[in-house]
Amino acid sequence: KQTGKQFRKRTAILTCLRQSKAHPSAEDIYQLDISLASVYRNIKLFKDEGLIISLGTVNGVERLDGRVDPHVHFACNACGAVLDVPEAAVPLSIARSTEESLHCRVDDTRLVMTGICEKCLQKSENN
């Protein structure tokens, strides 16, 4: 049974993930003064329940997203920033062609583009 303290921690973690535009890591969430074990346990629970998604690793750290609708991401190889790409549609044609060629069912499609973000490009031009 969940206690009031556990509920408050869980709510704080989920709120952080849903309100953050920075796609935080578990270590970022840990800054909320919640034990790292609680953070990881709740992240697993939220992923299992479909409340959050993992974007995979960026610069060696798993990044998370509280926005679960299909959308496109850009990850900077230099600074590790992860940004939502506005107005970019997830190419469902890739899912359909995968289903046709492999005779499978695609349940989810995520797209993460990688490269160098605007801030990092400006830094390199100024050096």
Side-chain angles (χ1 to χ4, degrees):
K1 186 177 174 186
Q2 186 173 312
T3 67
K5 188 175 182 179
Q6 289 170 323
F7 178 78
R8 285 190 300 277
K9 287 180 183 178
R10 186 165 291 155
T11 301
I13 293 167
L14 189 56
T15 299
C16 174
L17 285 163
R18 288 197 169 150
Q19 291 180 348
S20 174
K21 301 287 185 219
H23 304 86
S25 67
E27 289 75 19
D28 295 329
I29 299 165
Y30 172 63
Q31 303 305 314
L32 295 173
D33 200 27
I34 298 172
S35 77
L36 201 52
S38 287
V39 170
Y40 279 111
R41 184 172 44 256
N42 283 293
I43 286 172
K44 180 183 179 335
L45 175 75
F46 295 149
K47 285 193 293 190
D48 290 348
E49 292 179 355
L51 298 173
I52 66 171
I53 58 172
S54 172
L55 301 176
T57 58
V58 177
N59 291 356
V61 178
E62 180 183 29
R63 301 293 287 275
L64 305 162
D65 197 350
R67 186 177 156 198
V68 296
D69 63 302
H71 60 287
V72 178
H73 294 94
F74 175 83
C76 180
N77 292 324
C79 70
V82 178
L83 309 166
D84 290 333
V85 180
E87 306 300 319
V90 174
L92 296 178
S93 60
I94 294 173
R96 300 300 163 251
S97 66
T98 299
E99 288 177 335
E100 289 174 14
S101 65
L102 298 179
H103 307 287
C104 64
R105 184 186 77 210
V106 174
D107 292 327
D108 188 24
T109 303
R110 297 184 192 145
L111 176 62
V112 179
M113 295 181 277
T114 61
I116 306 297
C117 72
E118 180 181 22
K119 288 180 184 178
C120 291
L121 283 172
Q122 289 174 351
K123 280 182 200 174
S124 67
E125 289 172 2
N126 293 332
N127 289 336

